[in-house]
Amino acid sequence: MRYLIIAISSFFCVATHAGVVLSIEQVADGIYVHQGKHEWPDHKNHGAIANIGFIVGERCVAVIDTGGNPEEGRSLKRAIAKTTGKPICYVINTHVHPDHIFGNIAFKESGTQFVGHHKLARAMAARGQFYIDKAEDQIGMALTAEHIIPPDIEVEKTLLLDLGGRELLLTAHPTAHTDNDLSIYDRKTDTLWLGDLFFIGHLPTLDGSLKGWLVELAELEQKSFKQVIPGHGPVVTDWPKSLDPQQRYLGTLLTEIRNMIKNGRFIEEAIEQVGYEFKGQWQLFDEFHKKNVTAAFAELEWED
């Protein structure tokens, strides 16, 4: 069959008789990643902007995040079928944000279990209707409650998943990027899949705790990995050096906002003054920076 390369929903796919197959790259033995584009979710990309992918064991496959809309999830599923005949046993969501979970419905079938942080179900229940209500206006897709799929397996601290000859160590992190961040470590290839705890190129977005995030990054910085997969941006092989820009940005927010609060300054001033030396160093800075400052100020003004 002759394959026709087409652009669809702002990510490149291969067209077949069965539909589009999401483009993927094998970044290590049995680990496949689709790198999302650094874009604001809109009617053109339909929210398909995050890194998603899968890990293949001898027995079965674990999906890591499913994309920003149901069709991206289906395209990822076709990519898996094109890569391996092994069944999908787990769908692991790294956190609650729509660009990582709205493809879940493509994988809802007998034999597949959804896995997430022990606080993920609560976050989905609290935010799900808001995400659904916003979807048609923001990404041009009409979604319903069936598209919010909570985990069957909840990770309290750590959990080992055996894919057959391959164990994945899942870690439920304290509040950082969100209050439901989950990371996945593949022992076989020494690969850490960090989700949105780690950003490359795309401005980090704060939806949890600035202080908590910096603590988690400081702990991760002390460890070595052959490669690390961020939630947005390319896979890196120079950990922890590649973490430096994110730590500098978040650390500056912490220092500057604390100083402003100590000096009796107001949140409106912080929003207009803090962290602008980083403009030009991060994509989507204008879209997210003021929100980050607002969230950080709200957290830090109540410090003891």
Side-chain angles (χ1 to χ4, degrees), residues 250-297:
L250 296 177
T252 297
L253 294 190
L254 183 74
T255 300
E256 293 189 1
I257 292 172
R258 272 180 172 165
N259 286 339
M260 293 194 79
I261 292 170
K262 182 179 179 180
N263 292 319
R265 308 291 288 278
F266 297 103
I267 189 170
E268 293 82 4
E269 296 173 282
I271 289 170
E272 297 302 326
Q273 297 175 26
V274 167
Y276 282 88
E277 62 267 36
F278 294 99
K279 186 177 174 66
Q281 298 180 29
W282 294 94
Q283 293 184 54
L284 299 176
F285 183 92
D286 290 341
E287 287 80 0
F288 291 108
H289 176 66
K290 289 184 177 181
K291 295 177 183 178
N292 287 343
V293 174
T294 300
F297 195 102

Side-chain angles (χ1 to χ4, degrees), residues 134-149:
K134 211 179 146 173
E136 189 162 11
D137 180 61
Q138 185 172 40
I139 64 174
M141 306 203 79
L143 304 178
T144 66
E146 70 174 352
H147 294 96
I148 305 294
I149 301 176

Side-chain angles (χ1 to χ4, degrees), residues 114-179:
F114 288 79
V115 186
H117 192 287
H118 67 98
K119 292 184 178 179
L120 178 60
R122 184 178 69 183
M124 286 179 164
R127 298 176 175 214
Q129 192 58 52
F130 173 73
Y131 289 161
I132 290 165
D133 291 344
K134 211 179 146 173
E136 189 162 11
D137 180 61
Q138 185 172 40
I139 64 174
M141 306 203 79
L143 304 178
T144 66
E146 70 174 352
H147 294 96
I148 305 294
I149 301 176
D152 303 303
I153 300 172
E154 297 186 340
V155 183
E156 289 280 347
K157 293 182 179 179
T158 60
L159 176 69
L160 275 177
L161 295 180
D162 187 357
L163 306 184
R166 179 171 228 148
E167 286 189 333
L168 305 181
L169 175 64
L170 278 55
T171 300
H173 295 267
T175 304
H177 166 63
T178 68
D179 72 351

Side-chain angles (χ1 to χ4, degrees), residues 43-116:
H43 284 225
K44 183 179 178 182
N45 58 43
H46 303 298
I49 57 174
N51 291 350
I52 62 177
F54 56 97
I55 300 175
V56 182
E58 294 175 6
R59 180 176 63 87
C60 63
V61 176
V63 177
I64 316 294
D65 288 332
T66 58
N69 64 72
E71 180 52 39
E72 188 178 23
R74 289 188 283 269
S75 297
L76 175 60
K77 191 174 183 180
R78 295 181 193 113
I80 295 169
K82 187 167 182 271
T83 303
T84 177
K86 295 180 175 67
I88 298 166
C89 48
Y90 301 109
V91 172
I92 304 168
N93 287 137
T94 61
H95 62 293
V96 73
H97 289 157
D99 52 325
H100 296 261
I101 68 167
F102 270 165
N104 279 4
I105 196 166
F107 299 92
K108 190 171 176 58
E109 57 190 23
S110 177
T112 300
Q113 293 181 292
F114 288 79
V115 186

Side-chain angles (χ1 to χ4, degrees), residues 15 119 157 173 182 197 222 304:
K119 292 184 178 179
K157 293 182 179 179
H173 295 267
L182 191 73
L197 284 169
Q222 302 306 311
D304 293 333

